[in-house]
Amino acid sequence: MKAKNQLIVLTGDRPTGPLHLGHYVGSLANRLKLQSTHRQYIMIADAQALTDNFSEPKKVHDNVLEVMLDYLAIGLDPKKCTFFIQTQIPEIAELAQYFMNLVTVSRLQRNPTVKTEIAEKNFGNSLPAGFLAYPISQAADILCVKAQIVPVGEDQLPMIEQTNEIVRTFNRYYGRVFAEVKAQLSAVGRLPGADGKSKMSKSLGNAIYLSSSRKEIEQVVMSMYTDSKHLKVSDPGRVEGNVVFTYLQAFDSDKAEVKKLAAQYSKGGLGDVVLKRRLIDVLDKFLQPIRERRQKLAKEPKKVMKILEQGTAVTRKVVLQTMKEVKTAMKINYF
Ligand code: TRP
């Protein structure tokens, strides 16, 4: 195997449900590329999932396997990356505790992603401290293995910014231990949900999963938002902001044909159903091998969990080394 780039990559997902095409476009596609060139850690963020699913431990527990199946099914390879479970490395929580001192509550309240999530979840007066502070814990996820590249979607940029503020503050008080980190954004940008407004989510029923059947794909694609003024086939239609075109541009390998269809749609004379049929075929063709691999892997859950167990052990060794440096820098190494 050729020598890998020295820069370390870390990213992860909350195990709250199966992964969808938004995850694929936003982050998983980049991870597939990075796994051959970089040292890459992939973390299942069960502690972070518990910050807003604390009353549903079974959901979080069961989705660890589901997310891992998605990873393996798309071709993330345990020979090339290291997979681990966040809670099984208690030093991440320890590191997060030290970072807590370096971040103000008002700074956390200004984090745009957290702000949006707080509004969406209607926490009102019962906002859990753990939820407000999860960006600090996320900084610990990234820095515990001294990662410098984080392949994520745009919504995670505030977390990277927060992490870099912690890096600077930590190094200023305790000496240089950490380096700043960079987000690696996807080339395609954000993939909207079928309604075109929000990002994909299970509760909104606007998502296509990596494990979706053809029938489920059909249901979601047929409900996709196109152009409310495109009533008759002969009407000129809007391509910009048309969810069907956004998806075709992301997944249809025949780019020239998509361009032709877009031109025809703008002029008038192309119906939504024809486009939607094409998209269903494109997505089904993309997901079919993933679905098949996933079904096979799902028959051997013990083997899949073993990969996580081994990866967690490998990661923990690295984290313990980081913690040694952190404790020396912070003068909490007594014995
Ligand atoms: N917050 C991320 C999400 O909701 C998941 C996550 C947890 C993460 N820790 C991370 C992503 C560290 C990148 C790096 O998708």
Side-chain angles (χ1 to χ4, degrees):
M1 198 159 68
K2 70 176 183 261
K4 288 195 176 186
N5 190 307
Q6 292 298 303
L7 294 178
I8 294 165
V9 179
L10 180 134
T11 187
D13 299 277
R14 298 180 193 185
T16 52
L19 301 181
H20 51 58
L21 291 179
H23 292 113
Y24 190 88
V25 167
S27 170
L28 297 170
N30 270 338
R31 295 183 209 180
L32 284 169
K33 278 189 217 140
L34 288 164
Q35 71 174 348
S36 338
T37 51
H38 288 66
R39 176 100 184 82
Q40 177 163 245
Y41 294 93
I42 299 182
M43 181 190 74
I44 303 193
D46 59 340
Q48 189 176 111
L50 285 166
T51 63
D52 60 336
N53 293 274
F54 46 83
S55 61
E56 294 182 273
K58 185 172 178 348
K59 172 174 140 188
V60 174
H61 176 275
D62 292 353
N63 275 303
V64 169
L65 176 63
E66 296 302 315
V67 168
M68 189 59 189
L69 288 171
D70 285 332
Y71 288 158
L72 298 174
I74 63 161
L76 286 170
D77 181 349
K79 289 201 197 79
K80 296 179 179 167
C81 15
T82 306
F83 299 93
F84 69 97
I85 304 180
Q86 187 183 25
T87 50
Q88 303 310 294
I89 303 189
E91 290 76 17
I92 298 178
E94 185 185 3
L95 186 59
Q97 183 179 354
Y98 304 143
F99 287 169
M100 293 257 188
N101 302 329
L102 311 178
V103 182
T104 64
V105 172
S106 68
R107 174 64 182 88
L108 290 168
Q109 285 165 334
R110 281 197 311 272
N111 182 309
T113 300
V114 175
K115 236 169 136 171
T116 312
E117 285 172 325
I118 289 173
E120 277 170 5
K121 291 173 204 290
N122 291 317
F123 280 126
N125 278 333
S126 27
L127 172 65
F131 187 81
L132 182 66
Y134 91 72
I136 301 178
S137 151
Q138 188 156 333
D141 301 337
I142 297 168
L143 298 174
C144 72
V145 295
K146 297 194 169 182
Q148 283 175 277
I149 301 178
V150 189
V152 280
E154 270 171 46
D155 64 313
Q156 295 295 303
L157 287 178
M159 306 302 162
I160 305 297
E161 212 179 302
Q162 182 88 73
T163 301
N164 283 332
E165 286 173 29
I166 290 172
V167 167
R168 290 192 288 268
T169 311
F170 187 99
N171 289 350
R172 179 151 42 85
Y173 289 136
Y174 307 123
R176 197 187 146 84
V177 172
F178 298 112
E180 291 202 22
V181 312
K182 268 202 183 77
Q184 180 149 332
L185 291 177
S186 91
V188 181
R190 197 174 70 99
L191 199 66
D195 49 12
K197 287 186 209 125
S198 28
K199 62 178 187 180
M200 287 191 190
S201 88
K202 197 170 201 165
S203 49
L204 296 171
N206 64 357
I208 296 171
Y209 296 93
L210 297 171
S211 47
S212 285
S213 65
R214 183 176 174 102
K215 207 157 167 228
E216 287 160 344
I217 298 172
E218 276 172 1
Q219 266 167 4
V220 177
V221 171
M222 281 306 176
S223 78
M224 270 183 184
Y225 179 77
T226 54
D227 173 2
S228 49
K229 294 203 187 88
H230 187 241
L231 297 174
K232 283 187 293 197
V233 171
S234 55
D235 289 340
R238 210 166 45 101
V239 171
E240 185 84 12
N242 183 318
V243 182
V244 179
F245 272 109
T246 307
Y247 276 63
L248 282 172
Q249 282 151 359
F251 290 100
D252 197 327
S253 50
D254 191 347
K255 303 286 170 217
E257 182 63 20
V258 174
K259 258 196 184 146
K260 248 172 59 192
L261 290 170
Q264 198 186 347
Y265 193 82
S266 310
K267 252 198 332 203
L270 184 59
D272 283 354
V273 174
V274 177
L275 277 181
K276 286 182 171 178
R277 287 266 155 238
R278 180 180 181 93
L279 180 58
I280 289 165
D281 285 339
V282 164
L283 293 180
D284 190 42
K285 204 169 125 205
F286 173 71
L287 290 180
Q288 195 193 332
I290 296 176
R291 216 184 281 140
E292 279 170 12
R293 268 201 301 273
R294 201 183 191 286
Q295 277 162 5
K296 249 195 226 145
L297 289 158
K299 290 193 186 121
E300 299 186 281
K302 283 217 177 84
K303 215 166 129 187
V304 173
M305 290 307 289
K306 192 83 198 159
I307 298 172
L308 270 168
E309 189 181 352
Q310 284 166 343
T312 302
V314 169
T315 310
R316 189 151 189 225
K317 276 205 188 119
V318 177
V319 175
L320 285 172
Q321 180 53 39
T322 305
M323 290 312 285
K324 241 191 210 160
E325 292 172 42
V326 164
K327 289 183 173 182
T328 303
M330 291 181 69
K331 304 206 180 303
I332 46 175
N333 55 338
Y334 301 103
F335 310 115

